[in-house]
Amino acid sequence: MNAPTASLRGLDLRAEIDRLRKERNAVILAHYYQAPELQDLADFVGDSLDLSRKAAATDADVIAFCGVRFMAETAKILSPQKIVVLPDMAAGCSLEDSCPPDQFKAFREAHPDHIALTYINCSTEVKALSDIIVTSSSADVILKQIPLDQKIIFGPDKNLGGYLKRKTGRDMLLWPGVCIVHEAFSETELLKLKALHPGAPVLAHPECPPHILDHADLVGSTKAILDYALSSPSEVMIVATEPHIIHQMEKAAPTKTFIGAPGADGNCNCNMCPYMALNTMEKLYVALRDLQPQILIEEEVRLQAKKSLDRMLDMAGRTVGQGDVGRPVIS
Ligand code: 13P
Ligand code: SF4
């Protein structure tokens, strides 16, 4: 049982996490959607692709993953000899939930002449059933390396798949999954916000539906959005992705204003990822102390899933920061 107890009261969690990190020879990896205090103590903060690269390359004995379960599982698939802990094992993802492995297997079997290009936001079992994994920052560069006459199934995110279809002109069969967070942005509220801040560019993640992407000046992964926000001469920007990424923007560019795109009620709080929010300082401390909850994967499935992840790393590069930096998309 991993729930923090009253006995943690009074502990200097930051100091204790630092002590355990050294004792355990642990590396703490965090996604941009984590709470600011977790981002601030992590050894590395990044997008899904760079976090996978870090996990594959680390020489630490323990990886404490502040992110969601599919990210921690990816770390374990790539670094099976390491202990990988996830502060809260319930930190799932709506895209993963939308793609049960048995249904995905049946879909593949119904289309034997298609390869499966699969978004990393899925279970280990679905990775094992796939040919090549992509992230939002590597999908474009990987798609360009696949022959034009090759038929493709893309899952589980129909918004990322639809965006890639529009951008590249490739015809792909799309699995109908969505991210509940990016689906929540409201076009009406976004237009009101744009009217209040004329000229402020809109930076959007490709998990957003087309009616939001249609208003974007940049469509890209979390890292691409961050890079654009920091290099843009604009002083005010609208950010259409999970708003915890704004923490990194404000740290690096304190004089600029970053506004989270709103949901239907005009309050961007509804766009926070409820799965990412399950990880806390208390749970991270307990995970490092007890080395629980740990990611464990059956070896045969892991080896099969590793093939599709290795193809991604071979095609997108294994070096942190390498790859698509996101391009302005003005339609
Ligand atoms: P990135 O790969 O852009 O970090 O996205 C991960 C994710 O889960 C977005 O919702
Ligand atoms: Fe999954 Fe969406 Fe949360 Fe990303 S933001 S982890 S896609 S539910």
Side-chain angles (χ1 to χ4, degrees):
M1 181 64 194
N2 169 255
T5 61
S7 64
L8 300 189
R9 267 192 225 116
L11 271 187
D12 180 344
L13 286 172
R14 176 72 209 234
E16 286 298 304
I17 288 167
D18 282 340
R19 178 180 66 77
L20 286 167
R21 154 169 39 203
K22 281 196 201 89
E23 269 178 36
R24 301 274 191 214
N25 186 27
V27 65
I28 301 174
L29 304 182
H31 190 265
Y32 293 123
Y33 295 168
Q34 289 289 273
E37 61 269 26
L38 292 172
Q39 292 190 39
D40 286 347
L41 59 70
D43 296 290
F44 180 78
V45 187
D47 71 356
S48 307
L49 180 62
D50 277 344
L51 288 167
S52 309
R53 288 164 165 162
K54 270 279 171 193
T58 183
D59 57 7
D61 295 319
V62 174
I63 299 173
F65 213 111
C66 296
V68 290
R69 200 175 49 238
F70 77 79
M71 296 176 178
E73 285 180 359
T74 298
K76 185 70 180 177
I77 294 166
L78 293 169
S79 278
Q81 69 286 10
K82 320 271 183 226
I83 291 172
V84 179
V85 290
L86 178 65
D88 192 320
M89 207 49 102
C93 170
S94 66
L95 280 167
E96 173 176 344
D97 293 346
S98 76
C99 194
D102 55 336
Q103 290 176 27
F104 187 72
K105 186 166 182 282
F107 190 64
R108 283 223 63 179
E109 282 166 2
H111 301 95
D113 52 346
H114 287 60
I115 61 163
L117 193 62
T118 306
Y119 193 30
I120 197 166
N121 297 38
C122 65
S123 63
T124 298
E125 289 75 14
V126 167
K127 287 184 178 74
L129 290 165
S130 301
D131 295 296
I132 311 172
I133 299 301
V134 300
T135 64
S136 51
S137 55
S138 60
D140 193 19
V141 77
I142 288 173
L143 199 50
K144 283 190 185 122
Q145 296 172 56
I146 300 174
L148 286 174
D149 59 354
Q150 174 61 61
K151 293 180 180 161
I152 299 172
I153 288 171
F154 187 90
D157 186 6
K158 71 169 186 186
N159 287 328
L160 174 60
Y163 167 70
L164 290 167
K165 277 177 74 167
R166 292 191 298 282
K167 187 177 176 193
T168 65
R170 293 290 290 257
D171 189 25
M172 301 191 288
L173 273 183
L174 303 185
W175 186 268
V178 293
C179 160
I180 51 166
V181 177
H182 290 83
E183 277 279 303
F185 293 118
S186 156
E187 183 179 19
T188 311
E189 295 300 326
L190 178 61
L191 289 174
K192 284 190 208 162
L193 197 59
K194 274 172 70 86
L196 279 176
H197 302 280
V202 176
L203 322 182
H205 197 279
E207 288 176 15
C208 292
H211 59 262
I212 297 295
L213 296 183
D214 282 350
H215 303 290
D217 298 281
L218 173 102
V219 179
S221 69
T222 49
K223 180 176 185 302
I225 289 175
L226 179 60
D227 289 349
Y228 185 94
L230 302 186
S231 62
S232 165
S234 301
E235 286 299 319
V236 181
M237 278 165 266
I238 299 171
V239 180
T241 193
E242 215 274 0
H244 281 107
I245 193 172
I246 291 175
H247 177 60
Q248 292 296 328
M249 297 173 180
E250 288 176 341
K251 268 173 71 170
T255 60
K256 293 187 182 181
T257 303
F258 304 102
I259 308 167
D265 63 356
N267 171 5
C268 70
N269 283 351
C270 63
N271 295 323
M272 292 192 186
C273 177
Y275 306 102
M276 291 275 182
L278 290 173
N279 294 327
T280 61
M281 290 280 280
E282 288 81 0
K283 291 178 196 170
L284 173 61
Y285 163 73
V286 172
L288 280 168
R289 185 192 67 191
D290 301 349
L291 295 181
Q292 292 291 343
Q294 233 185 81
I295 302 284
L296 299 171
I297 301 174
E298 202 261 307
E299 186 62 1
E300 201 183 329
V301 187
R302 185 191 73 78
L303 287 172
Q304 209 48 41
K306 186 171 182 295
K307 279 189 199 162
S308 59
L309 274 167
D310 274 337
R311 283 194 196 107
M312 171 183 82
L313 293 175
D314 289 342
M315 294 169 93
R318 290 179 180 264
T319 311
V320 168
Q322 195 176 354
D324 190 352
V325 291
R327 291 180 202 92
V329 176
I330 304 167
S331 45

